[in-house]
């Protein structure tokens, strides 16, 4: 493995939940992806075509929900739900009572704020606001197994999204700061519509998260050494396996572990990859 990798973060690097999760899972993956920008052609999971199809349908589902929330007619969108998983997710979505009628809805919302030595940015599927009362973050998940709530609670996404909404969301709240106790994060699972995971928030959690996030960002900004993870289970679905001599064969999603599958699905899926729907 080459040992002449760059180790300095660009000065204007903006952190996201994905890059922080990558660092948390494996500092070397963070280095290869965000400092070296190394595109490495390894298959992430087996079977390849099946997983590609699932990813594409998941991306289309996100876009359909967004279009529905901004007012496109259901009939027009339903015509797009012509694949097996997608039509089931869409039916589940339309059948679920989200009770958002009184809320202001912000779809595909981007928030960012200074955090330590850099900026932190998050892109939300939906933030539903009842100004002065509630700020509910929704995130749509198309996993085919439902991860445990404790595992989702510890994900960077859960920590970043809630903290950043408090830190940077005042303009959604008529200019008044959003209080941590007003915030809730909901993961709505398209294949488990009646089992959303709900994570309320409070001032102590916010302080804990914001302090931890800023010190992690400062730590990464000062780091010059990005070691390989010692947990080689993290390598099974990582695109850099052959680069790191951690095996050439992709891990198989055999349905045995919901959390491993979830992590695998997220390694290579990010919001920016969700393509526009053409009508
Ligand atoms: S293959 Fe393993 S050690 Fe290498 S970047 Fe990926 S997770 Fe890290």
């Amino acid at each position: 493995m080459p040992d002449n990798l760059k180790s300095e973060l660009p000065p204007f690097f903006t952190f996201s939940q994905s890059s922080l999760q990558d660092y948390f899972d494996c500092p070397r993956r963070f280095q290869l992806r965000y400092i070296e920008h190394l595109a490495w052609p390894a298959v992430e999971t087996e079977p390849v075509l099946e997983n590609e199809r699932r990813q594409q349908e998941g991306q289309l589902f996100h876009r359909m929900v967004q279009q529905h929330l901004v007012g496109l007619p259901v009939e027009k969108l339903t015509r797009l739900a012509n694949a097996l998983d997608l039509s089931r997710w869409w039916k589940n979505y339309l059948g679920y009572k989200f009770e958002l009628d009184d809320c202001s809805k912000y779809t595909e919302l981007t928030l960012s704020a200074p955090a330590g030595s850099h900026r932190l940015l998050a892109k939300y599927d939906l933030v539903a606001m009842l100004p002065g009362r509630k700020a509910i973050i929704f995130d749509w998940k198309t996993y085919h197994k439902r991860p445990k709530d404790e595992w989702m609670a510890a994900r960077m996404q859960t920590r970043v999204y809630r903290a950043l909404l408090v830190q940077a969301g005042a303009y959604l709240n008529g200019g008044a700061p959003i209080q941590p106790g007003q915030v809730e994060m909901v993961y709505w699972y398209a294949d488990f519509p009646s089992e959303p995971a709900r994570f309320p928030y409070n001032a102590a959690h916010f302080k804990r998260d914001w302090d931890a996030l800023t010190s992690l960002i400062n730590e990464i900004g000062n780091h010059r050494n990005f070691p390989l993870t010692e947990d080689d289970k993290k390598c099974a679905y990582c695109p850099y396996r052959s680069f790191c001599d951690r095996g050439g064969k992709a891990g198989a999603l055999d349905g045995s572990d919901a959390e491993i599958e979830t992590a695998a699905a997220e390694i290579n899926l990010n919001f920016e990859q969700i393509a526009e729907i053409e009508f």
Side-chain angles (χ1 to χ4, degrees):
M1 182 180 19
D3 56 5
N4 55 350
L5 296 172
K6 286 189 235 149
S7 61
E8 201 160 334
L9 202 56
F12 299 110
F13 185 83
T14 298
F15 283 86
S16 66
Q17 58 96 6
S18 312
S19 58
L20 290 172
Q21 189 70 52
D22 273 331
Y23 181 83
F24 196 75
D25 289 344
C26 175
R28 179 58 56 88
R29 190 193 295 154
F30 176 91
Q31 182 185 29
L32 294 174
R33 180 170 280 168
Y34 301 101
I35 301 179
E36 283 287 339
H37 302 289
L38 182 70
W40 199 251
V43 170
E44 290 100 28
T45 50
E46 294 284 2
V48 181
L49 290 178
E50 169 65 8
N51 288 307
E52 270 179 19
R53 179 193 63 73
R54 256 183 20 211
Q55 267 196 14
Q56 281 166 3
E57 286 187 40
Q59 289 168 11
L60 186 52
F61 174 73
H62 275 74
R63 186 58 64 172
M64 288 169 65
V65 171
Q66 188 266 336
Q67 300 283 299
H68 178 243
L69 290 168
V70 297
L72 256 74
V74 172
E75 310 73 55
K76 199 167 178 179
L77 290 164
T78 299
R79 272 186 253 135
L80 296 168
N82 54 10
L84 198 60
D85 286 342
L86 186 58
S87 71
R88 186 177 66 252
W89 298 335
W90 186 240
K91 198 163 147 250
N92 289 345
Y93 166 76
L94 293 178
Y96 187 77
K97 294 210 180 326
F98 286 94
E99 295 175 353
L100 299 175
D101 289 350
D102 297 333
C103 297
S104 304
K105 298 189 263 304
Y106 299 88
T107 61
E108 297 193 1
L109 173 76
T110 300
L111 293 178
S112 81
S117 52
H118 288 74
R119 284 191 81 80
L120 179 61
L121 176 142
K123 295 186 174 181
Y124 300 79
D125 285 345
L126 170 67
V127 175
M129 290 294 302
L130 278 173
R133 288 166 55 200
K134 284 293 287 178
I136 312 172
I137 301 161
F138 285 92
D139 198 79
W140 323 121
K141 296 293 188 198
T142 54
Y143 308 144
H144 77 177
K145 293 196 96 183
R146 189 190 180 289
K148 291 190 193 75
D149 288 356
E150 310 83 74
W151 191 83
M152 288 303 281
R155 300 291 288 170
M156 281 294 168
Q157 184 175 17
T158 313
R159 304 177 71 178
V160 167
Y161 277 34
R162 292 181 304 179
L164 201 53
L165 184 59
V166 172
Q167 192 71 16
Y171 83 93
L172 308 172
N173 197 35
I178 296 176
Q179 299 305 315
Q182 297 172 331
V183 171
E184 182 179 34
M185 176 142 191
V186 179
Y187 291 106
W188 185 79
Y189 300 105
D191 258 329
F192 307 90
S194 58
E195 300 174 55
R198 294 182 170 276
F199 298 102
Y201 213 33
N202 61 38
H205 286 156
F206 169 66
K207 182 173 180 342
R208 175 204 66 188
D209 284 347
W210 194 255
D211 289 351
L213 290 167
T214 50
S215 74
L216 183 60
I217 286 169
N218 288 340
E219 176 192 314
I220 301 171
N222 292 325
H223 246 38
R224 295 295 173 267
N225 179 26
F226 294 86
L228 286 69
T229 177
E230 289 174 8
D231 177 3
D232 57 11
K233 276 204 283 237
K234 297 266 174 23
C235 306
Y237 307 102
C238 177
Y240 300 118
R241 287 183 312 277
S242 55
F243 186 87
C244 297
D245 291 332
R246 289 284 176 99
K249 198 168 173 315
L253 294 183
D254 59 6
S256 57
D257 187 323
E259 284 73 35
I260 288 177
E261 289 194 22
T262 304
E266 300 231 316
I267 281 179
N268 286 284
L269 180 65
N270 65 46
F271 199 97
E272 287 80 0
Q273 290 171 301
I274 297 175
E276 295 290 333
I277 296 177
E278 298 283 343
F279 288 96

